Amino acid sequence: MTPTTTNAPTGAPPMDSVSTGLLNLLRDHDPEIASVLADEAARQAQTIELIASENHVSPAVMHTMGSCMTNKYAEGYPGKRYYSGCVNHDRAEQLAIDRACKLFNCTFANVQAHSGANANLAVYYALLNPGDTILSVVLSDGGHLTHGSPVSISGKWLNPVHYPLVYDESRDDYGYIDYDAVESMAKEHKPKIIMCGYSAYPRIIDFKRFRTIADSVGATLVADIAHIAGLCAGGAHPSPFPHAHIVTTTTHKTLRGPRGGLIMTNDEELAKQIDRAVFPGTQGGPLMHIISAKAVAFGEALQPAFKTYAKQIVTNAKTLADELMHRGHHLMSNGTDNHLMLMDLRKFDPELTGKDAALWLEQAGIIVNKNTVAREQRSPFKTSGIRLGTPAATTRGFTEKHMKQIGGWIDQVLRSGGDESIHKSIAGEVIELCRAYPLPH
Ligand SMILES: *Cc1c(COP(=O)(O)O)cnc(C)c1O
């Protein structure tokens, strides 16, 4: 490893985990929280973040979140607010809307959804009545809680039916969406909404095929691109438009913005229903500091450098996937097209749970999450897999050679039998690499 003083990131520069100015302020004002923030800054600086849904935002995004824009009630929408004094908030929200539309090539955007879950809830509230049917992927196969899990309002108040993946390992499309099954289930169940877009799916989504199926049964196609939004925006994954009727997303995963949600459409009537469903339907006052930071993040994603970043995320993921498979590990669908991969531990070591693997890797300074794999037999607290993703590591400036090195470390940890001395020694190497690619202040 060659130490370097620049972090040579692709795309916008990575952020400081916490600014010195803020720490100095907090040390006097609230030493307890100051110490939490300082420790978290150190943790982020010294570990390799491979959680597929996380990222490091730019200093500009970070500091806009901590700005005076938070001190305002702005219920309503630009030009139609319930409170006085919203002139600057109108400007910020309109910029966020215009940039989102430009970025995703659509005509309407609601930037007020507090999160990805809230975005989906608002779409359901806009289009469905209790008991209506939605067709989606089940949580344990890579879907999201909000796509009809029994522990979510979406599962309790709606009637979810789930389309399968291809589970047959002898097939070339093993681990892919089973599009033929989507079609036959749509015809059988006549869902009002078909959801596509997932939390743990490593392959490209065929939005066009989904739209054809949706049209054949009169369903609304909702693409939840929470994970892949940055790849879509950066041209590293096909766009859900013009195929999806509605697109929902988070803004904080591959898109590298503040934590938040976003809903888009090209249909004026749907746009009105969505706006009403967000406010006053399911939310109160918008988080104007977050919306301002969304505008900043969308502005960054519109820069040419973001395309380079998005492409590098995928290159890094493919490199890491190849390295792991080369070393005898098994990935769902045998690889990846996007920013993430799902390691199926069952074939590698039937005794090893995702829980233990994630714990061991954390001891080695590599942060991943345990994840269910297709036809999971273990509970979501144990699982038989781990999910790995490259958005945050790519922001840090890591490229192919680092992915190979990280793949080697992961392999060593998974073969360690839990030997903490091995984990500790890798953690030392991880810190050294992280030092060469700092998250700058
Ligand atoms: C992350 C995610 C969400 C929810 O986002 P939150 O901001 O955590 O509410 C929704 N859908 C999918 C597919 C996701 O991966």
Side-chain angles (χ1 to χ4, degrees):
M1 182 199 70
T2 0
T4 155
T5 47
T6 70
N7 108 139
T10 47
M15 58 139 305
D16 51 337
S17 307
V18 54
S19 77
T20 331
L22 174 59
L23 264 192
N24 288 340
L25 172 72
L26 272 179
R27 263 190 201 111
D28 295 332
H29 187 78
D30 189 332
E32 283 164 296
I33 282 291
S35 107
V36 173
L37 263 60
D39 289 352
E40 175 57 12
R43 188 193 69 84
Q44 290 185 22
Q46 292 169 13
T47 54
I48 296 171
E49 185 55 71
L50 293 183
I51 292 179
S53 50
E54 296 187 8
N55 215 326
H56 303 285
V57 300
S58 73
V61 168
M62 180 66 75
H63 293 300
T64 306
M65 283 190 271
S67 70
C68 63
M69 295 300 278
T70 196
N71 293 333
K72 188 82 198 101
Y73 251 111
E75 282 170 324
Y77 288 100
K80 294 165 281 189
R81 306 284 189 185
Y82 288 81
Y83 295 92
S84 299
C86 287
V87 54
N88 300 312
H89 300 78
D90 282 1
R91 288 163 59 204
E93 184 166 350
Q94 196 58 52
L95 277 169
I97 291 168
D98 293 345
R99 289 176 183 177
C101 289
K102 194 166 175 204
L103 193 57
F104 290 96
N105 196 19
C106 63
T107 47
F108 298 98
N110 183 303
V111 297
Q112 291 193 6
H114 296 332
S115 69
N118 285 60
N120 288 340
L121 181 64
V123 168
Y124 298 149
Y125 189 64
L127 298 184
L128 304 176
N129 287 308
D132 280 351
T133 299
I134 62 167
L135 182 59
S136 64
V137 160
V138 73
L139 181 63
S140 57
D141 276 358
H144 190 259
L145 283 163
T146 56
H147 298 183
S149 159
V151 298
S152 146
I153 189 170
S154 63
K156 194 144 186 182
W157 289 9
L158 301 174
N159 172 42
V161 271
H162 298 301
Y163 54 87
L165 308 177
V166 174
Y167 304 118
D168 178 354
E169 289 180 42
S170 67
R171 277 175 57 169
D172 285 345
D173 55 355
Y174 160 67
Y176 284 61
I177 302 294
D178 188 340
Y179 290 94
D180 293 337
V182 178
E183 186 164 7
S184 62
M185 292 188 74
K187 297 216 153 96
E188 184 187 342
H189 296 283
K190 299 267 181 304
K192 286 247 176 82
I193 282 179
I194 298 178
M195 297 294 292
C196 61
Y198 318 96
S199 298
Y201 184 66
R203 294 299 178 179
I204 283 171
I205 300 163
D206 188 346
F207 294 119
K208 194 168 177 216
R209 176 104 197 252
F210 268 110
R211 176 59 182 264
T212 306
I213 296 168
D215 282 349
S216 75
V217 297
T220 300
L221 180 63
V222 179
D224 177 353
I225 61 167
H227 260 262
I228 54 172
L231 304 183
C232 296
H237 186 289
S239 166
F241 287 118
H243 308 297
H245 295 98
I246 297 173
V247 173
T248 61
T249 183
T250 62
T251 49
H252 51 273
K253 298 179 184 176
T254 48
L255 196 49
R256 206 164 61 183
R259 307 195 76 75
L262 168 65
I263 311 171
M264 295 169 286
T265 182
N266 281 319
D267 182 314
E268 187 168 3
E269 200 41 51
L270 280 179
K272 282 184 194 151
Q273 289 169 256
I274 289 164
D275 279 351
R276 278 195 298 269
V278 172
F279 176 83
T282 54
Q283 291 188 174
L287 311 176
M288 293 312 302
H289 54 310
I290 298 294
I291 289 169
S292 305
K294 285 175 186 172
V296 174
F298 300 159
E300 290 175 0
L302 282 165
Q303 300 302 313
F306 197 82
K307 283 199 163 56
T308 315
Y309 168 62
K311 208 173 281 165
Q312 188 66 46
I313 292 175
V314 175
T315 304
N316 281 349
K318 283 181 190 289
T319 307
L320 181 57
D322 286 346
E323 184 66 25
L324 291 168
M325 289 189 295
H326 176 69
R327 289 170 178 272
H329 297 279
H330 298 266
L331 301 183
M332 283 300 299
S333 88
N334 298 311
T336 181
D337 297 326
N338 61 22
H339 63 298
L340 69 80
M341 65 213 72
L342 257 184
M343 194 186 275
D344 184 344
L345 297 165
R346 292 174 294 198
K347 277 171 253 158
F348 171 68
D349 177 356
E351 301 295 308
L352 182 57
T353 62
K355 184 184 175 193
D356 282 340
L359 183 75
W360 297 354
L361 285 165
E362 184 175 4
Q363 290 168 352
I366 297 170
I367 312 299
V368 307
N369 63 282
K370 59 179 177 280
N371 213 98
T372 52
V373 283
R375 299 192 150 166
E376 179 63 71
Q377 300 290 313
R378 292 190 171 110
S379 86
F381 298 103
K382 284 218 163 79
T383 81
S384 305
I386 51 173
R387 189 184 64 168
L388 312 167
T390 54
T394 305
T395 293
R396 195 161 195 154
F398 291 164
T399 58
E400 291 94 313
K401 65 177 188 222
H402 308 107
M403 293 301 129
K404 289 185 185 155
Q405 192 169 20
I406 292 166
W409 287 330
I410 293 171
D411 179 55
Q412 272 179 275
V413 169
L414 297 183
R415 291 181 194 281
S416 70
D419 183 339
E420 287 190 25
S421 66
I422 296 176
H423 307 165
K424 247 201 198 126
S425 112
I426 293 171
E429 295 183 70
V430 164
I431 288 177
E432 213 183 302
L433 176 62
C434 287
R435 269 204 196 108
Y437 290 80
L439 301 170
H441 287 53

